[in-house]
Amino acid sequence: MNVAIKKVPLYVIALILLVFTGYPFLYMISTSLKSRTQFFEKPYSLFSSFTLENFKSVFEMGLSRYFFNSILVSVIAVFAVMLIAALASYPLSRMKFKLNRVVFLLFIAGMMLPIHATLIPVFKLSQSMGLYDTVWALLGPYIAFSLPISIFILTQFMQEIPASLEEAAKIDGCSHFGIFWRVILPMLTPALMTVLIYNFIHLWNEFIFALVLISSPENMTLPLGLQDFKGEFSVNIPGLMAALTLASLPILVVYIFSQEKVVKGLAGGAVKE
Amino acid sequence: METQLKGVRTATPAAQTATRPKKKSLNKFITISLFLAPAIIVYILYVLYPIFTTLLYSFYKWDGVGAGEYVGLQNYINLLSDNVFWTSLTNNTWVILTSIFVQIPLGLIMALMLLAPIRGIRLFSGIYFFPFLISTVAVGLLWVLMLDPLNGIINQIVSVFGFENVEWLSQTHTAMFAVLLVIVWQFSPFYMILFKAAIVGIPEELYEAAEIDGASAFTKFFRITLPLLMPTIVSSSILAIVGSLKAFDIFYVMTGGGPNHSTELLGTYMFKQAFVNFNMGYASAIAFVMFFLAMIVTIIIQALDYYRKKKGAYV
């Protein structure tokens, strides 16, 4: 009994935090299921009505186009990053050469870099390459800015793979590329999962490059499209909430099904096992 | 890509049969270069070259089209007497302070809750992390609605204390506070994860020994948990400082830096100068200041880390 009473404050704090973190989501989903009149009558009531009208209307307004663009650019960028970063991490973590440390630090320093310091030149570059206002303009900066954290995670992991495996492969006549492809890469799966999750979520949510490099609605990614919706939906709040719910859904669903992996992935290199 | 991979395949067996060391080291050089080439090319094109170009642009008065006019350090001199620039810098400092003194402690409390002996905590912990998952744009739009003076839930709550229809985001003295609240909401779960991992890593025996000595939960926290969490607190603070210098999205979405620059940050100000006013040279100067500040912070942190390791403290 005494123990149970002692725990009351704990439950109170836990509940306050639960409401603080969770309520906005309930509110978002609940509002997305209301009609406009229902919203103005009872803006605070939770799950008082269930209409899918808003979801239909946001799709008609082009949300599916934003979805398509976001999936296209984040999937291509993430897989390119995984390959390019894994290739670069191999010599950086397992071969001795003069500039190793310098090259490594140059990449890692990118994690500290404010994107703003590259914004105008990247904007000019995309114009001169004829990519401005296409989803392809995003690929270059997305890959480049995902490299530092990816290389950081992968080199850390690669360093821990015992050298004896590599030696054995070398004796069998394996080239460096053979070692990378047949020995290192298969062992890298957990680290690559971290890289995949981290970068996918960050790129799915990326805003500033999209804002600067894309202007036509048909080329917008989800975050930019949502920002664009803001104006059109200033009078249709349930519609806006439906758009937000749909845009957040893929990541929330992935998270619900593989919570541990997503948490570990999002913490990036900061949490070791 | 194809040709590069082939190149590696043919280059390396040659290295193994070669007897002359010169040829061997040349082959090693080629192998290393081929592994690094894709990453280095992309990185130079989209990161290193742009930073250098930003520095170059910052010496010009330039509208983004046509040729600019070389003005030397004039942009930087103007910056020093630009009130908005100083407001932005102050606001960035507020973001840093909020991160360190609100987000990090809250993240620690959340982490402690996750490990507290209460029922249903697994479900709680799942939800605690939600705010960090969704895009900043979605977070911003959601909170703009929650802070709405007429229909927002926040006003419903503060009306209990006698405040009516507060226009949180359109008054200069409340806008910054409102956005900082949202930042706390969004990023505390990130620090929660870092702290949870660190707390789990503390050996159980320490607590058992303290228990035998009759230590209270309070003592245990301040004598065991907190000191052992110091490295995590330090690295979280680093992430907070660097992240706060880069802050942009949430402010752009929620207030656009207004009203009357009261929530202006270096990031939003630079964006406006570049892509609204087309003062590309001036914007480049602001961008380079941001780069420079991030670099200084990084160097200081690296130096402190170096001394700390030398002294053998923590780690």
Side-chain angles (χ1 to χ4, degrees), chain B residues 263-278:
Chain B
T263 59
E264 202 76 81
L265 298 179
L266 293 175
T268 54
Y269 192 45
M270 180 270 165
F271 178 84
K272 272 184 207 166
Q273 288 294 355
F275 299 102
V276 180
N277 303 339
F278 294 99

Side-chain angles (χ1 to χ4, degrees), chain B residues 178-253:
Chain B
V179 184
L180 288 176
L181 168 79
V182 180
I183 291 184
V184 169
W185 181 79
Q186 193 187 7
F187 287 103
S188 296
F190 173 68
Y191 298 106
M192 170 184 86
I193 294 305
L194 300 190
F195 282 120
K196 188 191 169 196
I199 295 171
V200 170
I202 298 175
E204 194 61 35
E205 296 89 63
L206 291 176
Y207 293 106
E208 282 162 14
E211 195 110 346
I212 293 166
D213 292 344
S216 67
F218 195 74
T219 322
K220 275 189 277 182
F221 176 75
F222 281 98
R223 290 291 176 83
I224 302 173
T225 316
L226 205 56
L228 286 172
L229 286 181
M230 256 348 252
T232 313
I233 294 173
V234 171
S235 57
S236 300
S237 307
I238 295 168
L239 290 171
I241 295 170
V242 175
S244 305
L245 278 173
K246 298 188 205 175
F248 173 81
D249 299 7
I250 196 81
F251 285 83
Y252 181 84
V253 172

Side-chain angles (χ1 to χ4, degrees), chain A:
Chain A
M1 189 61 214
N2 195 12
V3 179
I5 288 170
K6 262 189 182 166
K7 278 186 185 170
V8 168
L10 283 183
Y11 277 100
V12 172
I13 299 172
L15 275 173
I16 290 172
L17 288 173
L18 189 69
V19 172
F20 179 60
T21 51
Y23 174 80
F25 290 92
L26 282 185
Y27 180 68
M28 174 175 86
I29 296 166
S30 149
T31 307
S32 74
L33 297 167
K34 287 176 184 172
S35 73
R36 255 193 277 178
T37 37
Q38 282 163 337
F39 173 72
F40 282 114
E41 278 164 15
K42 296 178 182 172
Y44 312 110
S45 68
L46 285 179
F47 299 105
S48 54
S49 57
F50 296 91
T51 166
L52 292 175
E53 244 353 86
N54 300 312
F55 290 91
K56 220 178 103 194
S57 70
V58 290
F59 265 109
E60 279 162 9
M61 288 189 64
L63 195 81
S64 47
R65 184 73 209 174
Y66 304 150
F67 252 101
F68 176 77
N69 290 336
S70 269
I71 291 172
L72 185 73
V73 73
S74 12
V75 168
I76 296 178
V78 165
F79 281 96
V81 165
M82 283 163 66
L83 180 65
I84 295 174
L87 280 170
S89 302
Y90 177 71
L92 289 176
S93 61
R94 306 189 71 84
M95 290 170 82
K96 275 192 189 133
F97 59 100
K98 236 187 219 165
L99 290 173
N100 188 325
R101 190 83 191 139
V102 176
V103 174
F104 178 72
L105 285 177
L106 212 57
F107 276 121
I108 298 310
M111 282 196 274
M112 303 290 190
L113 193 76
I115 283 174
H116 285 79
T118 66
L119 223 44
I120 295 173
V122 168
F123 168 72
K124 295 306 282 181
L125 190 68
S126 80
Q127 282 184 329
S128 58
M129 287 162 95
L131 294 174
Y132 176 73
D133 198 19
T134 67
V135 284
W136 310 116
L138 298 175
L139 277 184
Y142 280 10
I143 295 171
F145 275 87
S146 306
L147 281 176
I149 182 84
S150 309
I151 290 177
F152 180 70
I153 296 169
L154 292 175
T155 47
Q156 264 190 334
F157 195 87
M158 275 195 208
Q159 269 160 2
E160 276 155 33
I161 298 174
S164 53
L165 283 171
E166 207 174 319
E167 300 295 327
K170 241 182 212 165
I171 290 163
D172 291 346
C174 238
S175 66
H176 271 292
F177 183 73
I179 294 171
F180 170 76
W181 198 252
R182 293 198 208 105
V183 181
I184 305 289
L185 212 53
M187 298 188 72
L188 220 52
T189 319
L192 284 173
M193 271 307 284
T194 306
V195 169
L196 182 133
I197 291 168
Y198 182 91
N199 289 319
F200 184 79
I201 294 181
H202 277 264
L203 295 182
W204 182 264
N205 294 337
E206 202 282 335
F207 180 59
I208 185 159
F209 275 124
L211 180 66
V212 168
L213 299 177
I214 289 180
S215 60
S216 321
E218 71 264 23
N219 296 324
M220 287 179 177
T221 54
L222 265 176
L224 193 57
L226 289 179
Q227 165 71 10
D228 208 44
F229 266 3
K230 183 183 163 188
E232 305 201 29
F233 276 101
S234 53
V235 285
N236 183 3
I237 286 161
L240 183 60
M241 290 299 120
L244 294 185
T245 306
L246 281 171
S248 316
L249 217 55
I251 287 176
L252 289 179
V253 168
V254 171
Y255 173 69
I256 287 164
F257 285 106
S258 57
Q259 201 172 317
E260 302 274 306
K261 279 207 178 84
V262 172
V263 167
K264 223 179 76 196
L266 265 181
V271 176
K272 285 183 208 158
E273 280 141 88

